Amino acid sequence: MAVRMKPVDVALVGGGATAAILGKELAEAGYSVVALERGRMRRTVPDFQSPYMHDELKYSVRHALMQDPSTQTLTFRNFVGQKALPMRQLGSFLPGTGVGGAMVHWNGQTWRFQPESFVLRSWVNERYGEDFLPDDLTIQDWGITYDELEPHYDFFEKICGTAGIAGNVRGDIHEGGNPFEGPRSDAYPNPPMKQAYAGALFEDAATDLGYHPFPVPSSNVTRHYTNPYGAKFQPCMYCGFCETYGCEHFAKASPQVAILPFALANDNFELRPHCYVTRIEWDRGSNEATGVTYIDSRGREIFQPANMVALCAFAHHNVVLMLNSGIGTPYDPVTGEGTVGRNYTYQTMSGASVFYPPEVRLNPFMGAGALGTAIDDFNTGSFDHSELGFVGGAYIAAYTTSGRPIHRHPVPEGTPRWGAEWKKAVQRHYNSTATLTVHGSSMPHRGNYIGLDPTYTDAFGQPLGMITFDFPHNDRLMSRYVTGKAWDIARAMGGEQISVGWLDDHYSIVPYQTTHNTGGAIMGTDPTKSVVNKFLQSWDLHNLWVMGACVFPQNAGYNPTDTVGALAYWAVDHMINDYLPDPRPLVPT
Amino acid sequence: MDKLSRRNLFKVAGGAGAAAAVPHGFTVRKAEAQTGVEAPVVAPSESSAAPAHAGHDDVLFFFTTEEARFVEAAVDRLIPADEEWPGAVWAGVVNFLDRQLAGAYGAGARMYLEGPWELGVSQQGYQLPYTPAELFRIGIQEVRDWLAEHEGETEFWDLSVSRQIEILQMLEAGAIPLPSMPSSVLFETLLATTVEGWFADPAYGGNREMVSWRMIGFPGAYAQYVDLVTEYGRPYERPPMSMAEVARSHDHHGKH
Ligand SMILES: Cc1cc2nc3c(=O)[nH]c(=O)nc-3n(C[C@H](O)[C@H](O)[C@H](O)COP(=O)(O)OP(=O)(O)OC[C@H]3O[C@@H](n4cnc5c(N)ncnc54)[C@H](O)[C@@H]3O)c2cc1C
Ligand code: SF4
């Protein structure tokens, strides 16, 4: 029999980015909140300090900060009918574990989605005609507009101390920023990062080709800065140990730097580490969540009663928890019916390398997680798709994020993979290779979804989540097109040789691509086609809320966290002002 | 410290085939610079003998002597010494692998190791029931058995360098039929972990004297470039730093 804890107003599943936001805001509004985090407590001091943080083997290769697959993993297959097999080691994506979640080891690349993204189906239909989208591309509108979300983007960027040049402030296009972004109510709170040499070479080439380069907006903060909560940031040192590492300098916006201390200062907020949530409990009579069940560090099963539950456990964990708790109707890829697991999407990554002669030293180790120069001329709303047969797009960036050599020792195509020639090539090219990233959108496809695996179970005996995913034809066309543009820029950058990394034939769970898993518990206007309404409130249980990128109906050609954070602020605003004073479905069905 | 470029210190008489030949000066200079005490000169190992590490580096925690000889010959082909720079054997990659396999990584910590087992397709990743330690142990034995059958009674480490390369290429291509695993899986694991040992912090035992970092010009654990990042094209000349050194210097400051 489960141990029963004292009831609280709100139980948060997870202790990462979105849990920190909800914890801070709800506790301040006077509600008792407990955040249940499966991992351990972590603080900048002592957990992220040098020299031990600068250990590529431990953090980037052996994944010290990330989810342990021996406790919980996913199974994977490319298509319905294939046998799904467990992801036995982390690869394609690296979910976090421990207080702060994945926003401890994120890069800090802070992108807003374009206004078109939020109304994608309507926008495409209107612009390219009702017949443009094939039937199996299940693109949907989000139910929210860019304008509704904009104030929350603005606030989240201020919380993160985001650094950049605004391209569009209230409709005024600013030189040096991204002219393709939606209108902003304010500039970034901090000036942009310095530009690395690779970025400068990219900028020259892109400008010559008529594109519009700008520094990537970064939450690697560029000066001493105090955020609206009072959190003090230090300037980024361009240390080169950023993504997959915690920041030792209080420069990267992580929950522990930017938000958590201010949540923890409030007696209404409790952060309980070592609590592995296995189920959301709910009352089938009243259709309300009653709390959550978790396993504590001693292996005991505990029930935490709560008047309201918010899932903040990272994209696919939220979906798997819903499926394992029997909430909502699981998506069925054969009939196309059901909602939970629907519209799972990812990110369509490709790239190019420019090999310069050895005299051109790019010093790749002088990097930061979001240090880069980009163009956005080929993202969804930036260009005309009518003759191209696909929707979506990508940004192209020259990032200088890492010269850490286990993972980064570029050699030109045709170099042997090992032996004397390989070694010479590594030596020659290590310091003089620029890398272009093509960071592409991912459109939902009828066959791609998250379900429960019929065979494999986690350490607690529950079914593993099962991902069925391959890149839809649409995304292949998009990726080919934009990667071709990156190739043009690479050629214009004047290196000796170029290698282009096209999208693979099939999605593979093995090589790291991005931790930008999206969809599965999507937001929308139609309860038969979405899991949560435009306020991120469950259609099925009105006191259950879902945070994170799992609510994206499709993924844009950008990193997700700015949108994840903005949506969390948007949702918590509505919880506090509309819902908690009078709990009910905020959108009638 | 010394103005001499590290490259010159690594210039080696003799061809690339003479594995792991390193001039005497290197280790001495290094030790002097740090402690002011002359350390014993480490003799360059002859051909592919065991890595000439002083102290406890000769102790094997996981490999049997024969496994170590096998792995040593293999990593010597994967990252060989050349005229300028020593290779993986000199750098201690065998010890790195030995320690990794003796520890949590070898035991498959942080791997999902529940059955049922099916090979699946390459997009689904590693699907063998072995921990990395088991993979190495079983794989090496099976390659040795295969060699005994196909090359007479010859061990891998006794083959000519060119034949060793051919055997590794066959393993890489999956062309050697091993009873328990695709040979390519063994090869890819060996290659990946060899590269890890070669480039990881020397504290792990495999990038001795930061040899790989000096070769490419990576500064290691040192990590503040806020003022240098915009000095385009300027060579970074400060010698690299390992975690062990930084930790030692913290310790040193702590005592004063
Ligand atoms: C290497 C890397 C680089 C990235 N770089 C960028 C970037 O540059 N830009 C960008 O926009 N995004 C980036 N991201 C993505 C970013 O980290 C996520 O978007 C963000 O952290 C999501 O916030 P979240 O609250 O949904 O999940 P998280 O911050 O991951 O928090 C989820 C928490 O829930 C916990 N949890 C999960 N399951 C359970 C359970 N059953 N019980 C209890 N607790 C549980 C986890 O341990 C975790 O702490 C990156 C991610 C990675 C891994
Ligand atoms: S690059 Fe900057 S933000 Fe990233 S870890 Fe280093 S100091 Fe922190």
Side-chain angles (χ1 to χ4, degrees):
Chain A
M1 200 41 214
V3 179
R4 203 184 160 89
M5 303 299 280
K6 195 165 144 265
V8 291
D9 293 325
V10 186
L12 306 175
V13 182
T18 53
I21 292 171
L22 265 54
K24 161 79 171 84
E25 298 294 329
L26 290 166
E28 195 169 285
Y31 298 96
S32 59
V33 186
V34 59
L36 303 161
E37 165 58 48
R38 64 181 174 183
R40 68 181 181 91
M41 186 61 199
R42 300 184 300 200
R43 294 188 177 83
T44 302
V45 183
D47 296 302
F48 308 149
Q49 292 304 293
S50 82
Y52 304 110
M53 197 28 67
H54 304 160
D55 182 347
E56 184 183 13
L57 186 71
K58 177 174 174 179
Y59 292 102
S60 291
V61 185
R62 303 275 185 260
H63 304 139
L65 298 176
M66 292 122 191
Q67 172 172 339
D68 181 350
S70 72
T71 312
Q72 195 192 53
T73 185
L74 295 157
T75 68
F76 162 70
R77 57 183 182 174
N78 277 127
F79 53 88
V80 175
Q82 193 179 34
K83 172 107 176 72
L85 294 176
M87 176 173 75
R88 297 189 177 277
Q89 300 162 292
L90 294 182
S92 172
F93 42 85
L94 301 171
T97 198
V99 167
M103 214 181 152
V104 164
H105 60 260
W106 77 318
N107 291 56
Q109 301 163 7
T110 311
W111 295 85
R112 294 185 179 192
F113 289 5
Q114 290 175 322
E116 295 81 359
S117 304
F118 297 95
V119 289
L120 194 60
R121 178 162 284 272
S122 321
W123 181 78
V124 171
N125 286 351
E126 204 175 290
R127 205 171 158 159
Y128 304 125
E130 303 268 341
D131 297 335
F132 191 80
L133 290 176
D135 288 343
D136 55 7
L137 223 54
T138 50
I139 292 171
Q140 290 181 204
D141 291 358
W142 296 46
I144 188 180
T145 63
Y146 174 83
D147 290 342
E148 283 174 293
L149 198 55
E150 201 287 329
H152 306 283
Y153 268 133
D154 183 67
F155 187 70
F156 184 62
E157 288 160 5
K158 285 177 171 144
I159 289 299
C160 292
T162 307
I165 301 178
N168 179 347
V169 183
R170 289 181 290 273
D172 289 341
I173 302 300
H174 287 227
E175 184 84 19
N178 176 7
F180 300 100
E181 68 178 346
R184 315 167 56 86
S185 53
D186 202 353
Y188 289 100
N190 284 302
M193 299 201 89
K194 299 178 179 191
Q195 187 170 226
Y197 193 7
L201 293 164
F202 174 86
E203 179 183 347
D204 288 347
T207 308
D208 285 350
L209 292 171
Y211 303 136
H212 302 82
F214 57 92
V216 170
S218 84
S219 295
N220 313 140
V221 174
T222 48
R223 61 180 174 186
H224 291 278
Y225 170 74
T226 305
N227 82 4
Y229 291 155
K232 300 223 181 310
F233 287 74
Q234 316 268 356
C236 169
M237 289 291 127
Y238 300 75
C239 81
F241 288 87
C242 201
E243 81 282 274
T244 75
Y245 306 80
C247 176
E248 67 173 300
H249 291 293
F250 296 84
K252 178 167 71 176
S254 66
Q256 22 279 89
V257 171
I259 308 168
L260 277 173
F262 307 90
L264 289 163
N266 192 320
D267 286 343
N268 291 337
F269 180 69
E270 184 195 349
L271 180 51
R272 215 177 282 161
H274 304 294
C275 297
Y276 217 115
V277 176
T278 49
R279 264 190 326 277
I280 306 137
E281 306 295 348
W282 57 288
D283 183 333
R284 278 146 182 86
S286 65
N287 275 345
E288 282 175 45
T290 54
V292 299
T293 296
Y294 64 87
I295 312 290
D296 77 358
S297 57
R298 289 158 61 187
R300 297 180 304 177
E301 188 165 269
I302 316 264
F303 175 59
Q304 173 62 64
N307 295 331
M308 191 182 113
V309 174
L311 299 181
C312 305
F314 187 76
H316 50 255
H317 296 318
N318 289 340
V319 181
V320 174
L321 270 169
M322 290 187 81
L323 290 168
N324 268 328
S325 308
I327 295 169
T329 316
Y331 175 70
D332 179 340
V334 178
T335 62
E337 282 163 17
T339 55
V340 186
R342 190 184 152 90
N343 281 30
Y344 174 73
T345 48
Y346 190 52
Q347 203 88 71
T348 315
M349 304 295 292
S350 56
S353 295
V354 184
F355 296 91
Y356 288 98
E359 311 82 78
V360 182
R361 284 167 180 269
L362 299 175
N363 292 333
F365 41 85
M366 299 180 188
L371 176 58
T373 306
I375 63 159
D376 210 18
D377 298 63
F378 297 102
N379 230 318
T380 306
S382 311
F383 66 108
D384 183 15
H385 300 74
S386 44
E387 301 300 313
L388 299 172
F390 65 82
V391 292
Y395 71 74
I396 305 171
Y399 280 121
T400 305
T401 61
S402 160
R404 302 179 304 264
I406 300 176
H407 278 165
R408 187 188 153 82
H409 45 264
V411 291
E413 245 169 76
T415 309
R417 298 177 62 223
W418 47 277
E421 231 185 291
W422 172 82
K423 187 180 169 204
K424 283 237 178 295
V426 168
Q427 182 189 352
R428 183 171 199 274
H429 297 289
Y430 170 77
N431 204 330
S432 36
T433 305
T435 309
L436 306 192
T437 299
V438 180
H439 192 286
S441 57
S442 178
M443 294 304 150
H445 184 269
R446 181 184 169 130
N448 291 339
Y449 75 109
I450 301 175
L452 288 179
D453 191 87
T455 309
Y456 295 93
T457 54
D458 66 17
F460 311 106
Q462 303 212 91
L464 292 182
M466 174 181 73
I467 288 182
T468 305
F469 184 81
D470 209 343
F471 299 112
H473 184 62
N474 178 84
D475 293 3
R476 297 179 180 288
L477 292 178
M478 181 282 294
S479 183
R480 176 153 281 280
Y481 179 76
V482 187
T483 310
K485 303 294 178 190
W487 191 356
D488 294 341
I489 301 175
R491 269 196 297 246
M493 284 172 71
E496 288 181 332
Q497 280 183 76
I498 294 164
S499 297
V500 179
W502 302 97
L503 193 68
D504 278 344
D505 283 350
H506 293 286
Y507 169 69
S508 164
I509 203 86
V510 181
Y512 183 71
Q513 291 148 70
T514 66
T515 310
H516 304 166
N517 315 65
T518 67
I522 67 173
M523 59 196 288
T525 51
D526 177 354
T528 68
K529 291 204 166 83
S530 55
V531 171
V532 294
N533 63 28
K534 68 182 277 194
F535 304 107
L536 313 193
Q537 178 186 35
S538 158
W539 290 114
D540 294 286
L541 312 177
H542 68 80
N543 64 341
L544 179 72
W545 300 69
V546 184
M547 302 296 121
C550 55
V551 305
F552 299 178
Q554 53 269 337
N555 203 0
Y558 302 105
N559 316 52
T561 306
D562 205 3
T563 305
V564 167
L567 283 171
Y569 277 113
W570 153 263
V572 79
D573 226 34
H574 288 278
M575 289 174 200
I576 292 167
N577 294 318
D578 306 339
Y579 177 75
L580 283 163
D582 175 18
R584 69 205 186 281
L586 293 183
V587 180
T589 53
Chain B
M1 42 186 239
D2 55 290
K3 285 253 154 42
L4 266 174
S5 108
R6 286 290 164 195
R7 281 181 193 211
N8 294 337
L9 290 174
F10 275 120
K11 283 260 189 273
V12 174
V22 160
H24 296 187
F26 183 75
T27 311
V28 179
R29 230 169 236 291
K30 187 84 186 79
E32 273 169 1
Q34 261 165 29
T35 62
V37 177
E38 189 159 315
V41 173
V42 177
S45 56
E46 319 229 308
S47 75
S48 299
H53 273 214
H56 306 301
D57 287 358
D58 291 338
V59 175
L60 292 174
F61 295 99
F62 173 74
F63 291 133
T64 64
T65 311
E66 283 164 330
E67 287 165 347
R69 293 189 74 180
F70 181 100
V71 168
E72 185 177 292
V75 304
D76 207 11
R77 301 287 73 78
L78 296 178
I79 307 181
D82 57 38
E83 325 77 67
E84 261 190 309
W85 296 96
V89 170
W90 185 87
V93 167
V94 178
N95 287 94
F96 169 86
L97 291 172
D98 181 65
R99 290 174 191 180
Q100 288 291 309
L101 294 174
Y105 165 74
R110 306 181 68 85
M111 283 177 79
Y112 182 83
L113 288 169
E114 301 297 319
W117 300 92
E118 271 178 54
L119 271 186
V121 295
S122 65
Q123 286 82 6
Q124 292 173 308
Y126 184 77
Q127 294 295 341
L128 294 171
Y130 317 118
T131 64
E134 290 165 341
L135 184 84
F136 268 81
R137 180 139 285 159
I138 297 166
I140 290 170
Q141 188 57 50
E142 291 185 351
V143 177
R144 289 175 65 203
D145 292 347
W146 186 89
L147 284 172
E149 203 177 308
H150 293 84
E151 307 268 324
E153 287 303 301
T154 317
E155 291 285 4
F156 182 71
W157 55 88
D158 291 329
L159 296 172
S160 70
V161 165
S162 58
R163 186 65 188 150
Q164 285 176 352
I165 292 174
E166 281 167 20
I167 298 291
L168 287 172
Q169 284 167 340
M170 285 164 75
L171 288 173
E172 181 179 19
I176 295 187
L178 305 179
S180 305
M181 64 188 67
S183 70
S184 56
V185 177
L186 176 67
F187 178 86
E188 292 302 332
T189 311
L190 176 67
L191 178 60
T193 47
T194 298
V195 170
E196 285 163 20
W198 172 246
F199 280 127
D201 195 284
Y204 287 99
N207 175 15
R208 183 183 178 199
E209 306 289 9
M210 301 180 279
V211 58
S212 72
W213 292 355
R214 291 175 198 280
M215 181 183 94
I216 58 174
F218 175 62
Y222 183 80
Q224 295 211 7
Y225 309 106
V226 62
D227 297 322
L228 292 174
V229 65
T230 41
E231 305 248 336
Y232 297 163
R234 178 156 142 196
Y236 183 83
E237 272 158 349
R238 199 168 156 152
M241 196 188 275
S242 85
M243 288 194 297
E245 280 174 279
V246 184
R248 258 200 308 274
S249 83
H250 282 186
D251 204 34
H252 179 75
H253 293 309
K255 288 196 188 102
H256 290 268

